[in-house]
Structures are given as C-alpha cells and as structure tokens.
Amino acid sequence: MALPTRMTTFRIQIDGDAADIEADSETSLFAAMARAGVAWPVSCRNGTCRTCIARLRQGQVRYDIPWPGLSADEKEEGYCLPCVARPMADLVIARA
Ligand code: FES
C-alpha cells in the first residue's frame, strides 16, 4: 500500500453524526474534530491516558509515536487514540 503524500486531505465521519470532518494526513483526529467544533473527551494529548479512545469502524490511521497506549489486541480490534492518530484514509470512527 502506498503511503499518502504529505498533506493529503481525508474525511472523518463520526458514527451517528451527519456531518463529515476534513482532516489532513499530518493532523491528529482530535485536532481535526476540535477544529470542526466536535466535543470529544481528551486529557493527556500524547497517547498515554486513553481518555480519547475511539473505535475505528472504517479506514486506517498511523501514529508518530512508536506504540501508543493500546495493546496489540486493541489495535487489531480497531481501537484508536484520536489525540495521536493521523488519518491514512477516509475514516468512520465511533465513541468507544
Ligand atoms: S487524550 Fe490521552 S490518550 Fe488521547
């Protein structure tokens, strides 16, 4: 799979919400949601506390930190941490 070029723009849909959010590939999901006025729980903003945990229903994300506060099983099950996750595709996420 080819990696997106810098600043590719993707759409984030929050499961159950009508509006889509635009997010570029260098911006965290949380930052994109905050910019769009979406209220989402957040605390540490560095991938350790898990306050922001979400379920990735569709799409793929990447992390700049080597291993965010998720187990391998949780990642496999589709959990993500929006404060440090960046989109690699159009996404659908849900509150966990
Ligand atoms: S806000 Fe702490 S892990 Fe996302």
Side-chain angles (χ1 to χ4, degrees):
M1 169 190 246
L3 292 175
T5 58
R6 285 205 168 276
M7 301 304 281
T8 303
T9 299
F10 298 109
R11 303 194 70 75
I12 302 171
Q13 181 182 7
I14 300 171
D15 206 12
D17 282 11
D20 284 357
I21 298 164
E22 283 195 354
D24 68 66
S25 55
E26 299 302 312
T27 300
S28 74
L29 308 187
F30 174 76
M33 291 189 289
R35 191 174 53 223
V38 174
W40 195 271
V42 70
S43 183
C44 71
R45 300 176 192 234
N46 64 19
T48 56
C49 76
R50 301 166 54 98
T51 298
C52 66
I53 195 165
R55 197 79 186 252
L56 191 58
R57 300 240 185 257
Q58 182 181 319
Q60 192 173 6
V61 297
R62 67 177 178 81
Y63 297 96
D64 285 345
I65 58 176
W67 198 253
L70 294 170
S71 70
D73 285 347
E74 288 171 325
K75 285 177 112 179
E76 192 71 27
E77 292 167 14
Y79 289 97
C80 69
L81 295 174
C83 70
V84 287
R86 286 159 174 67
M88 295 179 66
D90 290 342
L91 306 176
V92 178
I93 65 171
R95 298 174 199 278

